[in-house]
Amino acid sequence: MTAGTEGSEGTPELDALPVAMTLRHPAASDHPRLQVALADWWGGLGGDAGVLQRQLLVPRLFLQHFAETSYLVEGDDGALRAFLIGFLSQTEPKTAYIHFVGVCPEGQRGGLGSALYHRFFDTARGHGRTQVRCITSPTNLNSIAYHTRMGFRLEPGDRVEGGVPVHGDYDGPGLDRVSFVRDL
């Protein structure tokens, strides 16, 4: 669907996307492009190990099994500009989960990320979900600030670092995370 037209349901952020952008659900065939974006869009953050870690976080299965709750934004040239990988929790029937979001460097601060989040919120509401959850690394201060601006609350952790509640070893030994929740 083209942003700002079919399927926007009046979401201001989607209506504000440039006409030359297209919003659609991903397909398994998009996986190689996402893997390139995960390597390139973070400016080498974490070196080769960081690139691999990001790429491993978005395996093809997300595009095969959660496509209807995930989104891509492409330019009129077909280039990938942004993506959101999300799903509806099977364990918590009131919860939807945002797994990974990326916006190309030249598209940041242009509303693409917010548009994708709001589209996901609409999708979650449409499936009867009343909250959205997500996590980030405690060192990703930009992500923490962004999610707070988007209306997410920081969930209490087992310790506080720099004023931020941290869940130690959340994703394994040494893989601490900050957890967010947003009511819909």
Side-chain angles (χ1 to χ4, degrees):
M1 69 191 78
T2 302
T5 58
E6 177 188 350
S8 70
E9 284 97 36
T11 304
E13 291 79 7
L14 290 172
D15 292 339
L17 284 179
V19 178
M21 299 235 176
T22 301
L23 175 74
R24 68 173 177 85
H25 296 293
S29 60
D30 292 307
H31 189 254
R33 293 184 337 148
L34 283 175
Q35 292 296 294
V36 170
L38 292 161
D40 294 346
W41 291 0
W42 278 260
L45 180 66
D48 289 344
V51 168
L52 180 59
Q53 186 178 45
R54 282 187 298 280
Q55 289 175 325
L56 290 172
L57 285 171
V58 186
R60 186 178 305 272
L61 72 88
F62 280 101
L63 308 181
Q64 294 168 315
H65 300 287
F66 301 108
E68 292 303 310
T69 52
S70 298
Y71 297 95
L72 298 180
V73 175
E74 296 173 313
D76 60 357
D77 59 356
L80 183 63
R81 300 283 193 248
F83 66 90
L84 180 147
I85 306 298
F87 57 88
L88 305 173
S89 174
Q90 292 183 345
T91 306
E92 297 179 24
K94 294 184 179 192
T95 301
Y97 190 87
I98 295 175
H99 176 66
F100 210 106
V101 179
V103 176
C104 67
E106 54 277 0
Q108 293 176 5
R109 303 200 185 285
L112 292 177
S114 294
L116 288 172
Y117 273 74
H118 285 282
R119 174 50 63 119
F120 185 78
F121 297 159
D122 288 346
T123 298
R125 276 189 210 96
H127 284 89
R129 306 308 165 113
T130 58
Q131 68 178 1
V132 175
R133 293 183 175 278
C134 58
I135 61 170
T136 195
S137 166
T139 59
N140 194 339
L141 301 180
N142 289 335
S143 178
I144 294 167
Y146 180 81
H147 284 91
T148 302
R149 285 192 309 271
M150 288 293 297
F152 285 88
R153 294 185 319 275
L154 293 159
E155 295 191 281
D158 52 32
R159 69 179 189 278
V160 175
E161 291 181 11
V164 175
V166 174
H167 298 259
D169 298 334
Y170 183 94
D171 277 331
L175 297 173
D176 301 342
R177 298 293 181 253
V178 174
S179 181
F180 300 95
V181 64
R182 184 185 191 276
D183 295 324
L184 298 177

